[in-house]
């Protein structure tokens, strides 16, 4: 199942070849950095992405070649993001709970910005803000599905959650995001 | 699971169909039915475009560039540590944190005195019984502080009768619709229960039996459309000041 190039690099890394692990970092850094950026925002993204690779290196001996290296790495990355979010907001560990406060936070509209002046970059900014305002469990599912472009089966392996549960989370994330971006309709979307 | 949940609804025009369409998960027959419906239903058409646009926008979000020296920084943090031998290392395959809900379940498994008010939160049916007991926490049984940061939590007891079930879980707005996070315990033959702390608010929920069967509690005080062609039970936890004297 494992990508042949990844397989060779993983095997070499397990045997102590640090250059091989460096090559694995180069191959997967952008995906992991994308994940951490969307989950945490830019401030902590690079640090947590680095932590992901450090943890992966230390656990490399336990990696089984019957799974995809990228899936395994995503899983470590998701867990590191969860750790970071909990450390950042210890008073609100239940980031997955939709409360009135989080629902209010989803309203990312800015009435003072004339809609006709919004450009594509601003749409990306609004969407990114909406994604980061999603409850944690919805956010990680949405990011893996639509930013990283993964299927539900692979997401299930990464998150250890049944694919139907993940579908429900993605559905709800999409619905919440559509609501939060509704003010952009008919402008540049 | 999803099919169980969404049976007996006008599926072709349902939210579930639209969402599955966006995911490319409709069968050929379902696609024909959906597209036919799309041609007749302008609102459905707008919804499909809205969701497709969202998926497209998300896929187009710029991916961050990897900074120069990223790999070198990682290798520097790794230092001279060799790859650890295989064993029970922190592989990333298990969540590093014990689930808050698991800790709560453990906390509530310990013997403690709970004061119950069953007078106005009791419903009986042939399929399911929901007993909701609201207990305002005043020192004694404190829920995890993380779940009740500032607002006093209300302990809600969910009980359901399911003869022959091997597991019963509950999924809802309060746990990210993740049944694995909130399991009920069998308290007597066929009776399952769990106590959870909730902040004031309205929470949709469903029971999940044996990890497969999603049950809409027919005897909940309120039900609402879940937007996916089915209905959820709704649990309302009122703020403390609105129920003075009611719970204790």
């Amino acid at each position: 199942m494992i990508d042949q190039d990844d397989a060779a690099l993983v095997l070499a890394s397990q045997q102590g070849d640090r250059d091989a692990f460096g090559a694995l970092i180069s191959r997967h850094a952008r995906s992991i950095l994308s994940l951490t950026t969307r989950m945490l925002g830019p401030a902590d993204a690079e640090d947590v992405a680095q932590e992901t690779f450090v943890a992966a290196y230390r656990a490399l001996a336990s990696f089984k070649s019957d799974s995809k290296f990228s899936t395994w790495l995503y899983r470590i990355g998701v867990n590191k993001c969860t750790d970071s979010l909990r450390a950042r907001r210890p008073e609100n560990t239940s980031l997955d709970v939709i409360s009135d406060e989080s629902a209010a936070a989803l309203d990312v509209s800015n009435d003072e910005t004339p809609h006709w002046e919004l450009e594509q970059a601003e749409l990306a900014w609004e969407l990114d803000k909406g994604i980061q305002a999603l409850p944690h469990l919805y956010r990680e599912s949405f990011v893996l599905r639509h930013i990283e472009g993964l299927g539900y089966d692979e997401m299930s392996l990464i998150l250890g959650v049944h694919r139907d549960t993940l579908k429900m989370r993605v559905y709800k994330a999409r619905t919440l995001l559509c609501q939060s971006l509704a003010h952009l309709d008919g402008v540049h979307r | 699971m999803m099919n169980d949940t969404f049976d007996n609804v006008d599926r072709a025009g349902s939210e579930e169909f639209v969402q599955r369409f966006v995911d490319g998960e409709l069968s050929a027959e379902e696609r024909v039915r959906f597209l036919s419906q799309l041609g007749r239903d302008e609102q459905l058409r707008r919804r499909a475009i809205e969701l497709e646009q969202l998926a497209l926008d998300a896929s187009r979000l710029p991916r961050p560039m990897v900074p120069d020296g990223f790999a070198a920084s990682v290798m520097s943090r790794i230092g001279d540590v060799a790859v650890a031998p295989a064993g029970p290392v922190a592989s990333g395959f298990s969540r590093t944190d014990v689930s808050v809900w698991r800790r709560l379940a453990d906390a509530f498994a310990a013997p403690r005195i709970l004061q119950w008010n069953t007078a106005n939160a009791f419903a009986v049916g042939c399929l399911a019984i929901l007993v909701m007991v609201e207990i305002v926490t005043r020192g004694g049984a404190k829920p995890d502080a993380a779940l009740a940061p500032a607002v006093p939590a209300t302990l809600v007891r969910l009980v359901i009768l399911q003869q022959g079930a091997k597991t019963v879980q509950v999924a809802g707005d309060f746990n990210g619709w993740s049944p694995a996070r909130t399991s009920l315990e069998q308290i007597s033959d066929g009776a399952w229960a769990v106590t959870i702390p909730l902040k004031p608010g309205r929470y949709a929920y469903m029971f999940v039996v044996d990890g497969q069967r999603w049950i809409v509690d027919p005897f909940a005080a309120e039900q609402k459309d879940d937007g996916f062609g089915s209905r959820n039970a709704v649990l309302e936890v009122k703020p403390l000041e609105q129920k003075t004297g009611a719970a204790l």
Side-chain angles (χ1 to χ4, degrees):
Chain A
M1 178 185 276
I2 188 170
D3 179 278
Q4 282 305 307
D5 292 335
D6 275 356
L9 291 170
V10 168
L11 183 60
S13 300
Q14 287 173 328
Q15 293 170 346
D17 183 343
R18 294 167 66 90
D19 289 341
F21 192 72
L24 282 171
I25 296 172
S26 298
R27 288 172 69 110
H28 297 282
R30 199 164 187 193
S31 294
I32 296 302
L33 194 57
S34 172
L35 171 73
T36 57
T37 300
R38 298 302 169 200
M39 287 300 296
L40 306 172
D44 298 327
E46 185 180 346
D47 187 53
V48 175
Q50 288 189 10
E51 284 181 13
T52 299
F53 283 103
V54 171
Y57 183 82
R58 289 176 176 158
L60 206 53
S62 67
F63 174 74
K64 306 298 181 192
S65 58
D66 56 353
S67 59
K68 276 172 69 178
F69 179 73
S70 59
T71 302
W72 184 75
L73 194 60
Y74 268 130
R75 187 157 192 172
I76 296 173
V78 164
N79 287 344
K80 287 294 175 188
C81 288
T82 302
D83 291 346
S84 178
L85 285 167
R86 286 181 174 160
R88 184 194 299 178
R89 300 178 63 181
E91 79 287 1
N92 190 12
T93 311
S94 57
L95 294 167
D96 48 324
V97 175
I98 290 197
S99 61
D100 290 342
E101 301 93 301
S102 61
L106 283 168
D107 180 6
V108 296
S109 64
N110 181 354
D111 292 336
E112 296 178 1
T113 305
H115 289 173
W116 58 87
E117 289 183 4
L118 292 174
E119 298 175 354
Q120 200 65 26
E122 288 176 288
L123 166 64
W125 183 84
E126 295 263 11
L127 178 54
D128 186 59
K129 190 175 173 185
I131 291 169
Q132 290 188 37
L134 287 171
H136 174 208
L137 294 180
Y138 297 172
R139 181 160 76 247
E140 67 182 12
S141 296
F142 183 87
V143 167
L144 290 175
R145 180 77 186 93
H146 288 298
I147 308 292
E148 299 307 310
L150 304 183
Y152 287 110
D153 287 336
E154 185 167 9
M155 289 167 61
S156 181
L157 289 172
I158 292 168
L159 297 171
V161 175
H162 194 280
R163 70 194 305 278
D164 286 340
T165 302
L166 295 175
K167 279 186 191 176
M168 186 64 78
R169 290 180 188 173
V170 171
Y171 291 0
K172 289 188 178 284
R174 289 198 292 235
T175 298
L176 288 168
L177 283 170
C178 281
Q179 290 169 3
S180 72
L181 297 172
H183 64 290
L184 299 177
D185 280 351
V187 183
H188 55 280
R189 298 182 73 221
Chain B
M1 179 202 80
M2 300 290 281
N3 288 339
D4 290 344
T5 304
F6 298 116
D7 275 349
N8 304 318
V9 294
D10 180 12
R11 297 168 64 88
S14 71
E15 177 72 8
E16 180 220 356
F17 251 62
V18 187
Q19 298 273 7
R20 287 177 58 211
F21 174 75
V22 173
D23 278 333
E25 293 214 332
L26 293 182
S27 67
E29 182 186 350
E30 288 173 330
R31 266 203 316 278
V32 170
R33 284 170 53 202
F34 177 74
L35 291 172
S36 299
Q37 184 71 24
L38 211 59
R40 293 190 295 269
D41 187 338
E42 187 183 343
Q43 190 176 355
L44 183 66
R45 201 158 53 242
R46 280 204 303 270
R47 178 64 173 153
I49 292 171
E50 180 183 44
L51 288 168
E52 286 281 11
Q53 184 70 56
L54 174 67
L56 182 65
D57 290 342
S59 70
R60 285 177 173 169
L61 279 176
R63 292 171 76 81
M65 296 301 294
V66 179
D68 290 342
F70 179 89
S73 296
V74 173
M75 297 312 291
S76 171
R77 289 172 74 163
I78 289 171
D80 295 328
V81 177
V83 174
V89 292
S91 67
F93 270 105
S94 59
R95 294 273 184 178
T96 53
D97 287 25
V98 177
S99 152
V100 171
W101 291 98
R102 185 65 256 163
R103 281 188 276 125
L104 282 169
D106 292 344
F108 292 121
R112 61 179 77 244
I113 297 172
L114 296 178
Q115 293 175 274
W116 297 56
N117 170 22
T118 56
N120 56 4
F122 202 96
V124 180
C126 56
L127 289 178
I129 296 177
L130 167 68
V131 180
M132 184 178 72
V133 180
E134 300 182 345
I135 304 151
V136 179
T137 55
R138 291 180 182 172
K142 287 185 179 177
D144 191 300
L147 275 176
V151 184
T154 296
L155 300 185
V156 177
R157 181 85 163 163
L158 298 172
V159 181
I160 183 171
L161 283 184
Q162 276 295 304
Q163 293 281 355
K166 293 185 176 63
T167 64
V168 179
Q169 299 159 313
V170 63
D173 291 334
F174 44 76
N175 65 358
W177 286 92
S178 177
R181 294 166 69 94
T182 314
S183 295
L184 282 70
E185 293 184 359
Q186 189 162 202
I187 55 175
S188 64
D189 187 27
W192 299 76
V194 68
T195 303
I196 53 177
L198 293 175
K199 292 188 292 185
R202 288 167 57 79
Y203 303 91
Y205 68 97
M206 295 177 80
F207 292 112
V208 185
V209 178
D210 293 337
Q212 295 288 327
R213 216 152 36 92
W214 287 62
I215 295 178
V216 182
D217 180 2
F219 302 103
E222 185 181 345
Q223 293 185 2
K224 71 169 185 179
D225 191 286
D226 70 351
F228 301 99
S230 186
R231 298 188 71 75
N232 291 331
V234 176
L235 176 66
E236 182 167 10
V237 179
K238 293 180 179 176
L240 178 60
E241 57 274 16
Q242 291 183 21
K243 57 181 180 183
T244 304
L248 290 177

